[in-house]
Amino acid sequence: MIHKQKKLEGQVALVTGASSGIGAGVAKALAQEGAAVVINYASSPDKAEMVQAEIKSQGGTAITFKADVSQEQEVIDMFEHIRKAFGTVDILVNNAGLQKDASFHNMTLEQWNYVLGINLTGQFLCAREAVKEFLRRGVVPERSQSAGKIICISSVHEVIPWAGHANYAASKGGVMMLMKTIAQELAPKKIRVNSIGPGAIRTPINHAAWDTPQGLQNLLKLIPAKRIGEAEDIGKAAVWLASDDSEYVNGITLFVDGGMLLYPGFEDNG
Ligand code: BGC
């Protein structure tokens, strides 16, 4: 057993959609544990560079890379770039995701395809390229007991239906089965695939739910722990799933949701 000072020392992590929100929080948490981090972004180089600067100011290693995860060639090019920069990749955090909300009868095919393209196809494309690299390299015991780790950022909405968000909920339900299926397929190759299912985390994606006192009060009714989550809460879970501390954990969704999945509406009813 090799004891490392930092849990992810010597490893390379790609975090997609890492210029803000949960992705930025996860990138910083992995860097703090010694991973060299690739901060992928689609449209905000300035924000990605701010995350990079923060990591560097704390002595970490980080680069930024622009790629739209729904585009096959851009994803292939990104992995090629990472191999040239760092030699390999050990950890993929499939985080890039978005919402385009609409009532079902008004949802356009464009809104549907856009969300499925990034939230589900994007996770497929990145996972596929990561797995090719993990299989090529195999286990290097000084780095990790696994040949590679994939963490899919899903949502409580992989199980909780969500009116007005059919595209988003369907994408997250899809992520759950993608994650479980490739976990089953790849466990014999020492590749671990798991998800994190965040609840309501204070990020730009859901600002309308928390940036007014009334909105926050309504939101807290759905959270038994009575606080909104922070990106750091997800970062800590990602460090655990990426490290050898979770070496025997395959194919789970770790919900980090303050108890949102406990059906708090039933607390004094039903
Ligand atoms: C959504 C957020 C929402 C949370 C809890 C997340 O997956 O992106 O907008 O606040 O689930 O409902």
Side-chain angles (χ1 to χ4, degrees):
M1 182 92 180
I2 298 158
H3 288 283
K4 295 180 180 172
Q5 277 184 325
K6 292 185 172 179
K7 289 183 189 298
L8 305 175
E9 216 169 86
Q11 298 190 54
V12 179
L14 165 62
V15 185
T16 66
S19 56
S20 71
I22 288 175
V26 168
K28 291 179 208 168
L30 299 181
Q32 256 170 23
E33 286 299 334
V37 176
V38 182
I39 300 162
N40 157 259
Y41 66 96
S43 58
S44 309
D46 43 333
K47 288 191 194 153
E49 280 155 23
M50 275 166 65
V51 177
Q52 181 190 27
E54 196 178 323
I55 290 174
K56 284 186 159 178
S57 74
Q58 291 172 6
T61 303
I63 61 169
T64 63
F65 194 86
K66 181 180 194 310
D68 174 343
V69 295
S70 70
Q71 300 303 312
E72 184 173 32
Q73 196 55 49
E74 293 187 34
V75 172
I76 291 172
D77 292 347
M78 174 163 64
F79 278 83
E80 187 57 34
H81 182 84
I82 296 169
R83 265 190 305 275
K84 284 197 183 124
F86 294 115
T88 191
V89 63
D90 304 272
I91 299 157
L92 165 66
V93 183
N94 250 338
N95 168 76
L98 45 75
Q99 293 178 213
K100 288 283 166 210
D101 308 333
S103 55
F104 188 63
H105 61 289
N106 289 321
M107 188 171 284
T108 63
L109 179 59
E110 200 187 354
Q111 287 170 324
W112 173 268
N113 282 338
Y114 188 46
V115 170
L116 269 289
I118 290 169
N119 295 14
L120 183 56
T121 305
Q123 293 217 12
F124 156 66
L125 290 171
C126 292
R128 190 187 62 181
E129 294 315 302
V131 166
K132 285 182 193 166
E133 174 58 17
F134 299 161
L135 292 174
R136 184 196 67 76
R137 174 176 34 74
V139 178
V140 180
E142 309 80 71
R143 297 171 88 92
S144 171
Q145 290 167 261
S146 301
K149 284 86 53 160
I150 297 176
I151 300 166
C152 300
I153 303 299
S154 181
S155 167
V156 289
H157 298 296
E158 72 173 39
V159 286
I160 302 180
W162 203 14
H165 308 76
N167 48 3
Y168 184 85
S171 75
K172 296 302 186 181
V175 164
M176 177 179 68
M177 284 309 287
L178 172 69
M179 178 278 288
K180 289 189 182 185
T181 298
I182 60 178
Q184 187 195 62
E185 192 169 325
L186 296 162
K189 305 283 185 196
K190 300 293 267 176
I191 294 171
R192 295 194 299 110
V193 189
N194 293 286
S195 287
I196 297 173
I201 308 300
R202 192 195 311 270
T203 72
I205 207 173
N206 60 356
H207 68 93
W210 52 262
D211 67 5
T212 65
Q214 188 55 48
L216 187 61
Q217 200 186 340
N218 287 340
L219 181 65
L220 293 182
K221 288 185 193 146
L222 300 175
I223 309 173
K226 297 294 168 219
R227 76 163 171 91
I228 188 168
E230 305 295 343
E232 293 75 39
D233 293 308
I234 309 302
K236 290 175 200 164
V239 165
W240 184 69
L241 283 175
S243 78
D244 284 349
D245 286 350
S246 61
E247 206 269 322
Y248 203 50
V249 178
N250 284 64
I252 64 149
T253 298
L254 175 56
F255 290 104
V256 182
D257 67 349
M260 211 173 210
L261 270 166
L262 298 173
Y263 297 97
F266 280 78
E267 208 175 71
D268 55 9
N269 203 344

